[in-house]
Amino acid sequence: MLPVSTWGKHYVFQSKQPRDTIEVIRVLSLSDNTEVMLNGTVWGSPFGANEHRDTIVYGTIHISADKPILAADYSHEPYYNETFFYDSVGGSFLAVLPPLEQTYNDFTFYTSFDTLDAGYTEQFVQIVTEESNNARITLDGQLVPTSYFRPVPGTVNGRTFVAGSVPVKAWVHRIQSPGISDNGFVILA
């Protein structure tokens, strides 16, 4: 469990491209009477302290709250297909989502070569950035095509965001964004 000092009020998640899988998002509240919204719509009654709820997500979702929350993605792969047990886009996992309050301008990450046992051949990194920064993000020194990004529903403090799932090969990667840290990005690798 991450320290509560790292929890945020705004999270964005996008189903893995290119095929937009259905994912389960879990949200955990810290305090009583926490109002949580999904794409700007209030999600039922206020959460109690340490209460969690799950929801199925297809596409891009903006999770916001009036008090700190923690959000995570349960990916439900692999699945059986006609020729092989595993899907080529990845395996089952739990990923804690980074809040929009924690942005980076320079981030190095590693994607594993250990795909032999898993059977998948594709890996993706999710990038969320302010819309005005969209065309300035680089991955390994190359601009990330804006075609990978989709609009995020709603705004955060008057700012609009975009989210993209970008394919990566197994190796060490570096994502960079010029400008101030408030105009950086969040990453889920």
Side-chain angles (χ1 to χ4, degrees):
M1 180 69 66
L2 296 175
V4 296
S5 62
T6 64
W7 295 20
K9 295 182 182 179
H10 297 276
Y11 295 82
V12 170
F13 178 77
Q14 182 181 62
S15 299
K16 290 182 296 301
Q17 293 177 1
R19 65 179 205 301
D20 276 337
T21 58
I22 294 174
E23 306 281 341
V24 174
I25 296 296
R26 173 165 285 181
V27 175
L28 173 64
S29 68
L30 178 62
S31 306
D32 277 329
N33 298 313
T34 301
E35 184 176 83
V36 177
M37 293 186 286
L38 305 176
N39 291 340
T41 301
V42 175
W43 187 9
S45 60
F47 282 50
N50 303 313
E51 181 181 344
H52 76 272
R53 294 183 196 161
D54 297 338
T55 188
I56 294 174
V57 174
Y58 179 87
T60 304
I61 187 168
H62 174 202
I63 306 159
S64 60
D66 62 344
K67 298 175 186 168
I69 57 173
L70 184 67
D73 164 39
Y74 285 105
S75 179
H76 283 197
E77 299 173 84
Y79 69 90
Y80 292 95
N81 64 28
E82 299 81 36
T83 58
F84 197 67
F85 177 74
Y86 293 100
D87 180 17
S88 66
V89 183
S92 296
F93 62 84
L94 167 69
V96 175
L97 304 178
L100 289 180
E101 291 87 349
Q102 298 175 19
T103 60
Y104 298 95
N105 289 94
D106 194 334
F107 192 88
T108 301
F109 66 98
Y110 171 77
T111 53
S112 176
F113 284 96
D114 187 21
T115 59
L116 181 60
D117 293 331
Y120 55 86
T121 59
E122 297 176 81
Q123 299 186 65
F124 294 84
V125 60
Q126 288 191 11
I127 303 170
V128 179
T129 188
E130 193 171 346
E131 188 174 35
S132 64
N133 202 38
N134 184 15
R136 301 174 353 157
I137 302 282
T138 61
L139 174 63
D140 301 328
Q142 302 295 314
L143 282 174
V144 175
T146 57
S147 60
Y148 285 123
F149 292 92
R150 297 180 185 168
V152 171
T155 62
V156 178
N157 298 325
R159 302 183 312 176
T160 57
F161 287 82
V162 292
S165 291
V166 180
V168 293
K169 302 284 185 197
W171 194 243
V172 176
H173 299 283
R174 186 175 185 189
I175 296 180
Q176 293 177 292
S177 166
I180 59 174
S181 61
D182 282 350
N183 198 21
F185 55 84
V186 294
I187 179 175
L188 179 60

